[in-house]
Amino acid sequence: MGKVVNMGLKLVILPDDAMIPVLEQNMGNVRFIWNNILSMYIKLYRLFSFKGCPLYPNIRNFNAMLKMLKQENAFLHEGESTSQQQVFRDLVKAFNKFFKEESGFPKFKSKKSQKQSFRIQKNGNNIRITNRRIRLAKLGYIHYRTSSKYKKLLKNSKINNITVKRENGKYYAIVNITTTIEELEKTGENIGIDLGLKNLATLSNGQEIVNLDLKKEDAMIRKYQKKLSRQKYMSKNYQKTLQKYHKWQDKKNNKIQNAYHQLSKKIVKKYDIIAMENLNIKGMFQNKRWAPKLQKISLHKLVNMLKYKSDWYGKTFIQIPRFYPSTKTCNICGYKNNNITLDIRQWTCPSCGTHHHRDTNAAINILKKAIKIKYKQII
């Protein structure tokens, strides 16, 4: 049975010397519009709030601000229009998340940031993709490089939009497509997963998945960070060092992405119900001891991969409530041991005498709780 899904295909694009300024100009336009609309809205919000009538963000108001910016800045007419309209849509989403307390207040975009992008919406025939080139309306043709699998998907799928971005000195196109994926066969097996810092994950069957060895990548990144801090900004030597710094950043990110894709696909293929805790990863980053480790292992990437792949392939992904005491509860008799601290890795239940490995016990409890949640949803 096939399921219709949206997915993003990341392509390496190879703009020529004439195309690079065009891409950079459009990235600059997007940044300019975002910063100006955000600045105008903050001033208007303060003014209306002072009068007792708070002005909440909406597409109509932000669109009017964009039209005003275009009248005052002729260079914006030279850029691609749908990418400029996408800015205020993204800004409305960012503010809605902020007012719902799902994220922080929208920030101004910096020209110095290594990550710059703009998104073009598919409108008629403004985006065309052949085996070798992407044609973007008003911008021109860009050569790209990708796998034969992705080329086949691009040919047989509906294209929704393209995000062109510069990251670590390289240019990419993320093509959002609508395609059909065949669901995986049910296996009758379920798994609970306890994420951690010492080990990446512990499964309810007792298997431990160790963290990736990123010592070499982290050491080289630190080395070139120090070197950059001693060099003159944007000098020739600075740019050479920056290329090496980006190279090792890419190596680290690619290593994590590849490992997590393989692990998540393996888990989704093998198990029908995948249970995890609903971790407060943002809150965990506020702990100074945990933050460096969390940054290295990127737990949110693994969680997101398991979530969307479970949805794609017809499996069930359940996150149990954040404050459920999975670590402190005996998975045999249900006794809650409040004396368990972070340094205790094994403990014996005072009620039934069962000896527990901390993380395996937590993973079993996570799975049991998830099955109860699923059963309640069914009835």
Side-chain angles (χ1 to χ4, degrees), residues 42-68:
I42 290 171
K43 290 174 184 176
L44 286 171
Y45 183 82
R46 286 172 179 167
L47 177 64
F48 277 73
S49 295
F50 180 74
K51 299 290 184 179
C53 302
L55 178 70
Y56 290 101
N58 60 64
I59 288 176
R60 186 178 177 183
N61 291 339
F62 285 177
N63 189 28
M65 292 179 189
L66 175 60
K67 288 179 180 178
M68 188 170 65

Side-chain angles (χ1 to χ4, degrees), residues 165-179:
K165 72 173 184 177
R166 169 169 52 81
E167 186 176 5
N168 293 338
K170 294 179 182 177
Y171 291 91
Y172 302 94
I174 293 88
V175 186
N176 183 278
I177 63 169
T178 300
T179 188

Side-chain angles (χ1 to χ4, degrees), residues 246-264:
H246 287 158
K247 172 189 168 184
W248 283 101
Q249 273 197 321
D250 284 339
K251 280 191 174 187
K252 179 182 176 180
N253 292 337
N254 292 339
K255 194 172 182 179
I256 292 172
Q257 285 282 112
N258 184 52
Y260 285 6
H261 272 300
Q262 289 182 5
L263 175 61
S264 56

Side-chain angles (χ1 to χ4, degrees), residues 191-197 199-204 273-282 284 290 299-300 302-304 306-307 317-329 342 345 358-371 373:
I191 199 73
I193 304 172
D194 180 57
L195 297 176
L197 296 178
N199 288 318
L200 176 64
T202 303
L203 308 186
S204 54
I273 297 177
I274 300 156
M276 300 181 84
E277 285 181 290
N278 185 11
L279 292 173
N280 181 14
I281 295 175
K282 282 188 178 179
M284 291 167 73
W290 294 354
L299 284 178
H300 65 282
L302 180 58
V303 175
N304 288 338
L306 286 167
K307 194 179 290 185
F317 180 84
I318 299 174
Q319 285 183 295
I320 68 167
R322 185 170 292 173
F323 299 107
Y324 177 71
S326 59
T327 302
K328 297 179 179 181
T329 304
L342 286 171
R345 306 311 302 170
R358 175 196 181 95
D359 297 335
T360 305
N361 175 64
I364 293 169
N365 284 324
I366 289 167
L367 178 58
K368 284 186 173 182
K369 182 68 175 176
I371 291 171
I373 292 170

Side-chain angles (χ1 to χ4, degrees), residues 185-248:
E185 291 183 8
K186 298 291 189 286
T187 62
E189 294 187 55
N190 307 320
I191 199 73
I193 304 172
D194 180 57
L195 297 176
L197 296 178
K198 186 178 180 182
N199 288 318
L200 176 64
T202 303
L203 308 186
S204 54
N205 59 12
Q207 182 183 351
E208 293 183 347
I209 300 168
V210 298
N211 283 312
L212 287 172
D213 183 5
L214 299 168
K215 289 178 183 177
K216 184 177 180 181
E217 289 81 2
D218 286 332
M220 297 304 286
I221 287 169
R222 283 196 300 272
K223 173 186 173 181
Y224 290 115
Q225 275 179 328
K226 287 180 181 178
K227 202 170 180 181
L228 283 169
S229 66
R230 300 189 193 103
Q231 292 174 330
K232 186 179 178 181
Y233 180 68
M234 293 313 289
S235 64
K236 285 186 178 180
N237 285 334
Y238 182 95
Q239 291 182 37
K240 286 179 183 177
T241 306
L242 190 62
Q243 284 183 345
K244 292 175 183 176
Y245 172 69
H246 287 158
K247 172 189 168 184
W248 283 101

